[in-house]
Amino acid sequence: MKPANQVRQWVNGIGAVAVTALILSGAAPGLAQEGASVSVSAPLVKGTLPVDDPTAAIWSTAKPAKFPMSPQVHWPNRILETTVKDVVVRALHDGTQVAMLVEYADPTEDPDDAAAIEFMVGDKKAHFAHGQPMMQVEGGPVNIWYWKNKDKKGVDMNAQGFGTLKIQTHQDVKATGAFSNGTWKVVFTRPLATEHADEDTQLIPGGFINIAFAVWDGRKDGSGDLVEKGSQKAVSSWWYFRAEAPPDYSGYYYAAFATALALGFQFVLIRKLKKGQAA
Amino acid sequence: MGMLTKPAILLVAMYLFLKFVVPNIPGSAPLPASLIFLYLMLVTAGIVIFYTMSSESKDAFWGPIQRFLTGENLGVLSTARYALLVLFPLLVGWQTFGSTAVSDAPPAENRTIHPAPPGEYTGLSNPVSKTPENIMQGKGFYAAFCSPCHGGNFDGKGPAARGFNPPPANFSDPTTIAMLQESYLFWRIKKGGVGLPIEGMPWKSAMPRWEVELPDEWIWKIIMGEYDGAHQSPRTWE
């Protein structure tokens, strides 16, 4: 075959593959589903984490995850309507600390406005409602990071069922809230790992763990009583959290190596076949 | 190319059979792609063994493949040959990437929606008689205790449902209470989410443990109200 002809054939071959790939990739976005988030991902950042700044510009680099909220109905005292309908969550980590920004709409700033993040601890599953005991499954405790507007701090707690909430003797969680234009932004910070693995959730970069959220609107009713308090709060179901591991490009290296190997195999095979024909 | 037509037709026919005919055989189910792939590989191996049994059939079988790969007098098929030469290494690379790259997806969850109830809850019959008054009363209890999540229309779309995953059951869907016996509902209402076995993922269910708050008689009435309101009937063994 003439070289010019051969080049044309190669171009045709590559063209056919490219056209097929374009058609397939054009069809793919239509198949991808648009839906609510299932996980919060904390990218690894270099430099300082915005540990006490809910409005820092760097938060925009973290992908927001939106989770719907329901009133806590699982256990009395329940509530059937709550103020907050969704939370938007962003997270960042620097390899030693994690910072999570919980953002939600609340028409008024009240001293008793509060928010919390809940995690499972260790390998045992825990019920999303305060680690309520389960009848056929041996459950574990939950670790709760709690913030209340008037306290201006984070509180590190554990529970294993309603009525068992306990403040830990060692406090690792910091929290700061900022209210503006009907929106709360609350930052929770904690070291990724702590020395109390039986009480604190351990955040290992790369691994998925369960996470849930709770919010209390601190407004009062006509007689001056809090409408949302204790177990009367807005809650989310269990979702996932992951502190991202440093980028791992090994998949690309393996793929490039495999492609080169396949090309080499093709080359050798065809050369052998051509020699065989000539003989 | 004549020698390759028959194996090609055989492979395509086999694929169509496994993909579209087998699932329609009574008592069968759709085959997973990996199993179909395995069967097609076996068919391919069989074809190769068959054609390499005598040296004439071997030459007739490999000849066209060899001519295609070396690009000898191919004419129009040249483009296909070059496409194959480009595609094969890319496909190998893509497969390798897929099996070695770190996944961004959270762990897959395989929750059993209707796990088996404990033995003492199978075959119980509703002790409350099905009178219009009892059904009416059951619907009243349903409105008070169940409808915030399961919905006034029995469709699982109550005002408190939005945040829950799994979502509250939709009773008007024929794959929920219509597939279950009344005793099953009695168990689920009484023990709630925390009463599920491990395959039901009890840690995710918001369903209250109503035995703490409601007498058994109310629960049986609620069950009657649910079936009536959702226009479904309990499953029976007749």
Side-chain angles (χ1 to χ4, degrees):
Chain A
M1 202 184 283
K2 285 183 194 118
N5 203 13
Q6 207 168 0
V7 168
R8 193 172 54 80
Q9 298 287 9
W10 271 111
V11 169
N12 280 352
I14 293 170
V17 171
V19 167
T20 315
L22 272 177
I23 292 169
L24 289 177
S25 66
L31 300 172
Q33 281 192 338
E34 272 286 320
S37 308
V38 294
S39 72
V40 191
S41 203
L44 175 62
V45 292
K46 291 193 177 95
T48 329
L49 280 185
V51 291
D52 50 9
D53 186 0
T55 55
I58 193 173
W59 284 114
S60 63
T61 62
K63 196 179 159 206
K66 190 177 182 179
F67 301 110
M69 304 292 278
S70 272
Q72 189 291 115
V73 297
H74 180 70
W75 196 250
N77 298 320
R78 61 177 60 85
I79 188 171
L80 296 179
E81 204 187 343
T82 49
T83 304
V84 175
K85 308 293 183 216
D86 297 284
V87 293
V88 174
V89 184
R90 290 176 174 85
L92 299 164
H93 82 100
D94 63 2
T96 50
Q97 281 206 105
V98 67
M100 290 193 205
L101 177 70
V102 179
E103 189 178 333
Y104 58 91
D106 179 353
T108 54
E109 181 185 355
D110 306 291
D112 289 289
D113 283 343
I117 307 180
E118 180 186 66
F119 301 92
M120 291 187 194
V121 181
D123 293 334
K124 286 208 182 91
K125 296 288 183 188
H127 194 273
F128 80 95
H130 261 218
Q132 276 285 85
M134 295 173 278
M135 289 167 207
Q136 301 193 52
V137 177
E138 192 198 344
V142 289
N143 182 197
I144 294 169
W145 303 357
Y146 178 79
W147 162 90
K148 192 189 254 188
N149 185 18
K150 67 181 178 194
D151 297 343
K152 305 212 175 298
K153 63 169 185 180
V155 185
D156 201 356
M157 303 193 276
N158 284 105
Q160 197 161 357
F162 279 109
T164 65
L165 196 63
K166 222 171 100 182
I167 296 174
Q168 293 183 3
T169 50
H170 40 84
Q171 291 292 310
D172 311 297
V173 176
K174 292 188 173 65
T176 310
F179 187 83
S180 166
N181 294 327
T183 301
W184 268 116
K185 289 185 176 182
V186 185
V187 179
F188 294 84
T189 319
R190 209 206 67 179
L192 290 169
T194 72
E195 288 171 7
H196 309 95
D198 49 341
E199 293 183 349
D200 295 329
T201 194
Q202 303 297 311
L203 308 169
I204 300 156
F208 283 94
I209 59 162
N210 286 104
I211 189 169
F213 305 90
V215 174
W216 296 256
D217 176 6
R219 76 189 164 93
K220 289 175 176 168
D221 61 14
S223 53
D225 292 326
L226 286 172
V227 178
E228 299 183 18
K229 60 181 184 297
S231 62
Q232 294 169 312
K233 58 185 170 182
V235 296
S236 83
S237 295
W238 281 129
W239 300 102
Y240 283 103
F241 169 81
R242 183 177 66 155
E244 288 174 17
D248 178 2
Y249 300 114
S250 59
Y252 293 100
Y253 299 145
Y254 288 129
F257 182 68
T259 307
L261 216 63
L263 261 174
F265 168 75
Q266 251 177 209
F267 181 75
V268 170
L269 179 78
I270 290 171
R271 239 175 91 100
K272 262 219 128 65
L273 287 174
K274 278 190 171 165
K275 266 191 187 164
Q277 272 179 353
Chain B
M1 289 287 153
M3 269 321 256
L4 291 182
T5 317
K6 263 197 256 172
I9 292 173
L10 185 63
L11 274 174
V12 171
M14 191 65 185
Y15 174 78
L16 294 175
F17 174 75
L18 293 170
K19 182 81 187 171
F20 300 108
V21 179
V22 170
N24 291 317
I25 296 171
S28 182
L31 300 179
S34 56
L35 192 62
I36 293 182
F37 180 76
L38 187 75
Y39 283 142
L40 292 182
M41 289 310 286
L42 285 173
V43 172
T44 310
I47 291 169
V48 171
I49 291 169
F50 178 78
Y51 279 109
T52 48
M53 286 205 316
S54 77
S55 63
E56 298 91 63
S57 66
K58 190 183 109 193
D59 289 343
F61 180 71
W62 288 116
I65 296 177
Q66 204 162 326
R67 280 197 294 283
F68 179 77
L69 287 176
T70 51
E72 185 196 320
N73 303 327
L74 267 184
V76 214
L77 277 176
S78 280
T79 304
R81 173 177 177 258
Y82 282 100
L84 182 81
L85 295 184
V86 173
L87 202 58
F88 174 67
L90 286 180
L91 213 62
V92 169
W94 174 253
Q95 281 291 330
T96 311
F97 181 77
S99 57
T100 55
V102 182
S103 168
D104 269 344
E109 289 184 346
N110 200 358
R111 188 177 69 93
T112 304
I113 297 172
H114 300 305
E120 65 264 35
Y121 288 95
T122 49
L124 293 178
S125 54
N126 195 331
V128 179
S129 54
K130 277 195 180 54
T131 63
E133 294 76 36
N134 285 339
I135 292 174
M136 185 73 95
Q137 216 183 351
K139 281 185 177 173
F141 292 144
Y142 175 89
F145 303 112
C146 317
S147 73
C149 294
H150 292 282
N153 297 325
F154 303 85
D155 56 3
K157 291 185 180 141
R162 68 191 315 272
F164 293 128
N165 171 40
N170 169 4
F171 300 137
S172 57
D173 179 332
T175 66
T176 62
I177 56 172
M179 280 174 43
L180 302 166
Q181 292 181 289
E182 283 182 287
S183 56
Y184 192 96
L185 272 69
F186 184 66
W187 166 57
R188 292 290 286 111
I189 297 171
K190 212 168 146 70
K191 299 292 177 187
V194 291
L196 288 166
I198 192 159
E199 64 270 25
M201 299 193 170
W203 51 89
K204 298 186 76 174
S205 170
M207 177 77 179
R209 188 179 150 194
W210 287 110
E211 67 177 350
V212 182
E213 299 172 66
L214 306 180
D216 284 1
E217 192 199 320
W218 290 23
I219 295 177
W220 285 118
K221 284 179 178 171
I222 287 170
I223 293 169
M224 290 190 323
E226 262 173 30
Y227 277 109
D228 193 77
H231 308 293
Q232 306 286 354
S233 321
R235 181 177 186 169
T236 54
W237 296 114
E238 282 93 64

